[in-house]
Amino acid sequence: MFVLITLVSDATLTQLLGLEQFEVTGYGIERDKKQDIVHIYGTINVDAAICPCCHNVSTIIKEHKDRCVRDCDMWGKRTFLHFQIRRFECPECGHRFTEELKDIGWKRRQTIRFELQVYEACLGNSKKRTAEMFHLSQTAVKRIFKRWAKERRKGKQFGLVKVLGIDEISVKKRHKQFAVVISDLERRCVLAVLPDRTHKTLKKW
């Protein structure tokens, strides 16, 4: 009996991962006595960020910093994302700030979807059992549950954009090449960077 084995490309992994701003560049599997760990390496594929002070778009990157966050399990194994978070400088007010990402909360050690998975698990299990299920400390589980229980009490819907920002940036200096930046001004994060043809369509509209 023959088994067809297909190598998984970075593009395929990017699609399987399903995080819009994250582009996979490689992966590795760490052998562990209890459970193997998947490490996904990648880059943020959005070249702009929103200034938290004046809400202007910035493409001026001043610093990179390594970051690692926990994500939902892949192939039944604990999964961690490795990437570089960037520090921008606003061209308007000069403020320097660290970018905020759509799928990862500010200074969080987990993706938003992983935190929601932990929160949902807490609704039917004890904090201790949930911690064992996800290989987390009970303190981390308690913190995640409190945060999302508070958000649910406020009636907030995850993914709902209340204040949408639309701006344009020059892709190349001294060239008539533009891109449209769509952002969530409430969360101060970039949702998408659209090509030049979208810029022309929006102007007509």
Side-chain angles (χ1 to χ4, degrees):
M1 180 178 178
F2 293 94
V3 179
L4 178 63
I5 299 176
T6 303
L7 294 177
V8 181
S9 67
D10 293 342
T12 300
L13 274 177
T14 298
Q15 290 182 329
L16 289 174
L17 191 64
L19 295 177
E20 293 179 15
Q21 297 178 327
F22 195 89
E23 186 173 329
V24 176
T25 57
Y27 76 98
I29 298 178
E30 178 185 348
R31 301 299 179 185
D32 187 77
K33 292 181 180 179
K34 294 182 179 180
Q35 184 191 43
D36 291 346
I37 301 172
V38 176
H39 295 278
I40 305 290
Y41 300 87
T43 58
I44 303 302
N45 58 18
V46 177
D47 296 325
I50 305 300
C51 175
C53 291
C54 64
H55 288 176
N56 277 294
V57 176
S58 174
T59 57
I60 305 172
I61 301 174
K62 305 300 290 187
E63 186 181 358
H64 294 79
K65 186 177 181 181
D66 292 334
R67 191 170 178 188
C68 173
V69 298
R70 175 81 180 272
D71 193 26
C72 298
D73 290 358
M74 180 176 285
W75 305 316
K77 307 177 190 299
R78 277 181 289 168
T79 301
F80 291 86
L81 306 180
H82 300 264
F83 59 97
Q84 286 192 324
I85 198 78
R86 300 163 299 182
R87 190 166 177 79
F88 286 79
E89 181 178 88
C90 179
E92 298 297 326
C93 67
H95 178 67
R96 292 193 178 188
F97 60 96
T98 301
E99 65 183 323
E100 295 196 35
L101 304 176
K102 177 184 176 183
D103 299 303
I104 304 171
W106 176 247
K107 293 186 177 180
R108 298 285 188 262
R109 295 182 178 180
Q110 301 89 16
T111 59
I112 290 175
R113 66 184 182 185
F114 177 76
E115 289 192 348
L116 286 171
Q117 193 176 61
V118 173
Y119 169 78
E120 295 292 339
C122 286
L123 298 178
N125 299 278
S126 66
K127 302 296 189 300
K128 181 179 179 181
R129 173 58 182 152
T130 303
E132 292 172 350
M133 289 169 56
F134 292 97
H135 300 275
L136 296 169
S137 67
Q138 291 188 53
T139 301
V141 170
K142 186 176 181 180
R143 183 171 58 248
I144 291 171
F145 180 80
K146 282 187 173 182
R147 181 185 307 129
W148 285 104
K150 185 178 179 181
E151 294 298 318
R152 292 297 169 86
R153 284 197 299 269
K154 290 179 182 177
K156 288 188 176 181
Q157 297 182 27
F158 174 67
L160 180 64
V161 180
K162 293 183 179 180
V163 185
L164 186 69
I166 301 178
D167 205 342
E168 64 179 20
I169 59 174
S170 175
V171 178
K172 290 185 178 181
K173 293 182 178 180
R174 294 183 294 277
H175 290 77
K176 293 182 179 180
Q177 295 184 23
F178 297 90
V180 176
V181 178
I182 308 296
S183 59
D184 182 341
L185 294 183
E186 189 177 47
R187 289 184 55 204
R188 299 195 298 271
C189 64
V190 174
L191 301 177
V193 178
L194 307 178
D196 184 41
R197 59 180 178 273
T198 309
H199 163 264
K200 295 176 181 177
T201 303
L202 283 175
K203 275 202 166 185
K204 289 180 182 179
W205 183 75

